[in-house]
Amino acid sequence: DAEITQSPRHKITETGRQVTLACHQTWNHNNMFWYRQDLGHGLRLIHYSYGVQDTNKGEVSDGYSVSRSNTEDLPLTLESAASSQTSVYFCASSDRGISTDTQYFGPGTRLTVL
Amino acid sequence: QKEVEQNSGPLSVPEGAIASLNCTYSDRGSQSFFWYRQYSGKSPELIMSIYSNGDKEDGRFTAQLNKASQYVSLLIRDSQPSDSATYLCASQMNYGGSQGNLIFGKGTKLSVKP
């Protein structure tokens, strides 16, 4: 079955370290998204991609970067981790359609920055 | 600033009752609306989408959309303890056949008491 996976599921790192969170989908979806979810803020969009070599900044992109070299993967990199980036990170994907754009979410990565 | 507003709850209903979840959105250009369910510690999963004014029914779930009032609701009939979760409302704009990104509300926590 097609799916979307994230790794690692849990990560503890130190302030200032570079961290990369992986997202892999096997639906062959064009669109991929990274969100963070924090208490009191809901889901906030970090970066998104509408296809290979396409990346765009979302609402809370400072301190994060992404690259899209193939359809299946959109890794999220924290250049220099900060305690404010402690959060649960969700990757999502969707197909570009005319009337529907259902996003399917991965299981999430819980990141703690000490 | 495009916003989706939801009452954070918790909304508590007895088993077998109707749970009513409400959502308002600020951008009149929004054309597609989604309800996601999120169990504690899990990722969001889509349960309903609605694009036209009126009601849309799927099993025990009914989504209602009123674009004039910029209001979306989700009714859950015969509520079960397994419906206890956080419900996220999301809106999306359509740009001439291309979909914009989802704007999520912060979610309403529903508790169904046996």
Side-chain angles (χ1 to χ4, degrees):
Chain A
D1 285 344
E3 61 177 357
I4 181 167
T5 57
Q6 294 183 234
S7 62
R9 295 294 311 280
H10 301 271
K11 174 77 176 179
I12 299 175
T13 191
E14 296 177 343
T15 301
R17 290 189 181 269
Q18 183 180 78
V19 177
T20 297
L21 308 182
C23 175
H24 179 80
Q25 53 96 3
T26 58
W27 277 300
N28 202 35
H29 283 165
N30 291 317
N31 307 335
M32 296 185 72
F33 308 84
W34 274 104
Y35 296 90
R36 61 178 289 175
Q37 188 173 40
D38 306 283
L39 277 175
H41 288 281
L43 280 165
R44 291 184 290 175
L45 184 63
I46 305 171
H47 280 286
Y48 59 99
S49 168
Y50 286 158
V52 176
Q53 302 301 332
D54 175 73
T55 60
N56 305 280
K57 294 181 179 181
E59 176 189 358
V60 290
S61 61
D62 287 349
Y64 303 93
S65 64
V66 294
S67 62
R68 186 91 180 269
S69 59
N70 58 53
T71 301
E72 296 80 18
D73 299 289
L74 187 70
L76 177 71
T77 297
L78 286 68
E79 304 293 344
S80 177
S83 57
S84 60
Q85 294 176 310
T86 293
S87 186
V88 178
Y89 291 85
F90 288 104
C91 179
S93 72
S94 70
D95 201 5
R96 181 169 289 273
I98 297 300
S99 62
T100 181
D101 191 21
T102 300
Q103 288 192 17
Y104 298 92
F105 283 80
T109 294
R110 183 173 295 275
L111 177 68
T112 302
V113 183
L114 301 176
Chain B
Q1 182 79 0
K2 301 168 188 173
E3 293 185 335
V4 173
E5 300 284 344
Q6 297 182 253
N7 188 322
S8 62
L11 173 66
S12 184
V13 299
E15 183 175 357
I18 295 175
S20 177
L21 304 164
N22 304 313
C23 169
T24 59
Y25 59 96
S26 63
D27 195 333
R28 285 196 172 274
S30 298
Q31 297 184 21
S32 305
F33 302 88
F34 305 86
W35 283 99
Y36 283 80
R37 178 177 61 199
Q38 187 176 23
Y39 292 115
S40 180
K42 302 296 185 182
S43 58
E45 58 176 328
L46 181 72
I47 53 172
M48 289 286 287
S49 59
I50 186 166
Y51 311 104
S52 304
N53 277 329
D55 295 358
K56 179 182 178 182
E57 187 174 317
D58 184 1
R60 296 186 297 112
F61 299 96
T62 299
Q64 299 174 318
L65 174 60
N66 184 325
K67 289 187 178 180
S69 301
Q70 296 177 237
Y71 179 88
V72 190
S73 66
L74 179 70
L75 301 179
I76 306 174
R77 290 181 299 281
D78 188 23
S79 295
Q80 301 297 309
S82 58
D83 294 324
S84 297
T86 296
Y87 289 80
L88 306 174
C89 175
S91 70
Q92 181 184 52
M93 291 184 64
N94 290 357
Y95 300 102
S98 297
Q99 285 72 42
N101 294 325
L102 295 182
I103 308 296
F104 283 90
K106 295 178 181 178
T108 298
K109 188 172 184 178
L110 172 66
S111 178
V112 181
K113 303 295 186 183

